[in-house]
Protein backbone atom coordinates (compact mmCIF):
# COMPACT_ATOMS: atom_id res chain seq x y z
CA UNK A 1 0.00 0.00 0.00
CA UNK A 2 1.41 3.36 -1.05
CA UNK A 3 1.99 5.81 1.76
CA UNK A 4 3.05 9.44 1.48
CA UNK A 5 4.02 11.40 4.57
CA UNK A 6 4.63 15.15 4.53
CA UNK A 7 6.62 17.07 7.10
CA UNK A 8 8.15 20.50 7.55
CA UNK A 9 5.12 22.72 7.73
CA UNK A 10 4.71 25.38 10.37
CA UNK A 11 4.30 29.06 11.14
CA UNK A 12 6.62 31.57 9.52
CA UNK A 13 6.65 35.32 9.04
CA UNK A 14 6.27 37.00 5.69
CA UNK A 15 9.52 36.75 3.77
CA UNK A 16 10.63 33.67 5.62
CA UNK A 17 11.41 30.18 4.36
CA UNK A 18 10.26 26.63 4.95
CA UNK A 19 11.27 23.30 3.50
CA UNK A 20 8.66 20.61 3.07
CA UNK A 21 9.51 16.94 2.72
CA UNK A 22 7.49 14.02 1.42
CA UNK A 23 8.54 10.46 2.09
CA UNK A 24 6.99 7.76 -0.09
CA UNK A 25 6.84 4.08 0.71
CA UNK A 26 5.00 0.92 -0.24
CA UNK A 27 5.06 1.29 -4.01
CA UNK A 28 5.97 -1.75 -6.06
CA UNK A 29 6.37 0.38 -9.19
CA UNK A 30 8.19 3.69 -9.37
CA UNK A 31 6.24 6.89 -9.65
CA UNK A 32 6.71 8.68 -12.94
CA UNK A 33 6.04 12.07 -11.33
CA UNK A 34 5.43 13.69 -7.99
CA UNK A 35 3.88 17.00 -7.11
CA UNK A 36 2.96 19.42 -4.38
CA UNK A 37 -0.56 20.76 -4.19
CA UNK A 38 -2.05 23.21 -1.73
CA UNK A 39 -5.49 24.08 -0.50
CA UNK A 40 -6.32 27.33 1.24
CA UNK A 41 -9.46 27.65 3.38
CA UNK A 42 -12.56 27.87 1.22
CA UNK A 43 -10.63 27.29 -2.00
CA UNK A 44 -10.03 24.33 -4.23
CA UNK A 45 -6.84 22.29 -4.18
CA UNK A 46 -4.34 23.53 -6.76
CA UNK A 47 -1.03 22.29 -8.05
CA UNK A 48 2.02 24.19 -6.81
CA UNK A 49 4.84 22.33 -8.52
CA UNK A 50 5.61 18.98 -10.06
CA UNK A 51 8.71 17.02 -10.94
CA UNK A 52 8.93 14.19 -13.47
CA UNK A 53 11.16 11.15 -13.17
CA UNK A 54 13.62 12.75 -15.61
CA UNK A 55 13.91 15.78 -13.34
CA UNK A 56 11.76 18.11 -15.41
CA UNK A 57 9.98 20.60 -13.18
CA UNK A 58 7.04 22.91 -13.57
CA UNK A 59 5.62 25.56 -11.26
CA UNK A 60 2.44 27.49 -10.80
CA UNK A 61 2.93 31.12 -11.80
CA UNK A 62 2.24 32.24 -8.25
CA UNK A 63 5.33 30.50 -6.89
CA UNK A 64 7.83 30.73 -9.75
CA UNK A 65 11.14 32.12 -8.60
CA UNK A 66 10.31 31.52 -4.94
CA UNK A 67 9.71 27.78 -4.63
CA UNK A 68 11.97 24.94 -5.72
CA UNK A 69 10.87 21.34 -6.04
CA UNK A 70 13.40 18.52 -5.91
CA UNK A 71 13.39 14.79 -5.62
CA UNK A 72 15.66 12.05 -4.35
CA UNK A 73 14.39 9.09 -6.35
CA UNK A 74 16.73 6.65 -4.66
CA UNK A 75 15.12 7.49 -1.34
CA UNK A 76 11.62 8.09 -2.72
CA UNK A 77 11.65 11.51 -1.13
CA UNK A 78 10.51 14.84 -2.51
CA UNK A 79 11.13 18.34 -1.23
CA UNK A 80 9.71 21.81 -1.64
CA UNK A 81 11.95 24.69 -0.68
CA UNK A 82 9.77 27.74 -0.14
CA UNK A 83 11.42 31.15 0.06
CA UNK A 84 10.07 34.68 0.25
CA UNK A 85 6.84 33.37 1.67
CA UNK A 86 3.73 35.51 1.44
CA UNK A 87 0.50 35.50 3.39
CA UNK A 88 -1.26 34.07 0.35
CA UNK A 89 0.95 30.99 0.54
CA UNK A 90 -0.93 29.98 3.68
CA UNK A 91 -2.57 26.61 3.01
CA UNK A 92 -2.44 22.93 3.68
CA UNK A 93 0.24 21.48 1.43
CA UNK A 94 -0.21 17.99 0.04
CA UNK A 95 2.27 15.63 -1.51
CA UNK A 96 1.01 13.55 -4.42
CA UNK A 97 2.46 10.81 -6.59
CA UNK A 98 1.62 9.96 -10.18
CA UNK A 99 1.60 6.63 -11.93
CA UNK A 100 0.84 6.01 -15.59
CA UNK A 101 -2.82 5.03 -16.08
CA UNK A 102 -3.59 6.04 -12.49
CA UNK A 103 -2.77 9.74 -12.49
CA UNK A 104 -2.22 11.58 -9.23
CA UNK A 105 -3.93 8.86 -7.29
CA UNK A 106 -1.77 8.88 -4.18
CA UNK A 107 -1.91 11.57 -1.53
CA UNK A 108 -0.39 12.42 1.80
CA UNK A 109 -2.31 13.69 4.79
CA UNK A 110 -1.16 17.28 4.31
CA UNK A 111 0.95 19.68 6.32
CA UNK A 112 -0.15 23.16 7.38
CA UNK A 113 1.86 26.18 6.29
CA UNK A 114 0.89 29.48 7.85
CA UNK A 115 2.53 32.74 6.85
CA UNK A 116 1.85 35.66 9.14
CA UNK A 117 2.49 39.30 8.38
Amino acid sequence: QVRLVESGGGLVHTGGSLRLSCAASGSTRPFNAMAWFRQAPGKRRVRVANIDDDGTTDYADSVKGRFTISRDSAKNTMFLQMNSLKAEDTAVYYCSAHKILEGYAFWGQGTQVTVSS
Side-chain angles (χ1 to χ4, degrees):
Q1 182 176 356
V2 175
R3 185 168 183 242
L4 302 176
V5 179
E6 302 98 334
S7 60
L11 173 65
V12 64
H13 290 298
T14 301
S17 298
L18 281 175
R19 187 182 192 229
L20 304 183
S21 299
C22 173
S25 61
S27 177
T28 58
R29 291 187 294 117
F31 305 120
N32 64 295
M34 296 184 75
W36 289 97
F37 289 74
R38 68 186 182 188
Q39 187 167 18
K43 296 188 177 181
R44 63 183 180 89
R45 190 175 299 187
V46 296
R47 181 190 61 88
V48 174
N50 59 272
I51 183 166
D52 295 342
D53 55 4
D54 64 357
T56 302
T57 59
D58 190 37
Y59 298 89
D61 289 343
S62 59
V63 306
K64 280 181 181 177
R66 301 188 298 121
F67 290 12
T68 302
I69 189 172
S70 59
R71 180 177 177 184
D72 184 340
S73 297
K75 297 181 179 180
N76 268 344
T77 306
M78 178 178 65
F79 306 96
L80 186 68
Q81 177 66 41
M82 305 186 294
N83 299 327
S84 302
L85 282 162
K86 305 175 182 180
E88 51 263 44
D89 295 318
T90 295
V92 177
Y93 283 71
Y94 296 91
C95 166
S96 184
H98 184 286
K99 288 187 178 182
I100 294 174
L101 301 181
E102 297 181 76
Y104 281 107
F106 309 96
W107 295 88
Q109 81 289 351
T111 185
Q112 176 70 47
V113 171
T114 303
V115 184
S116 66
S117 56

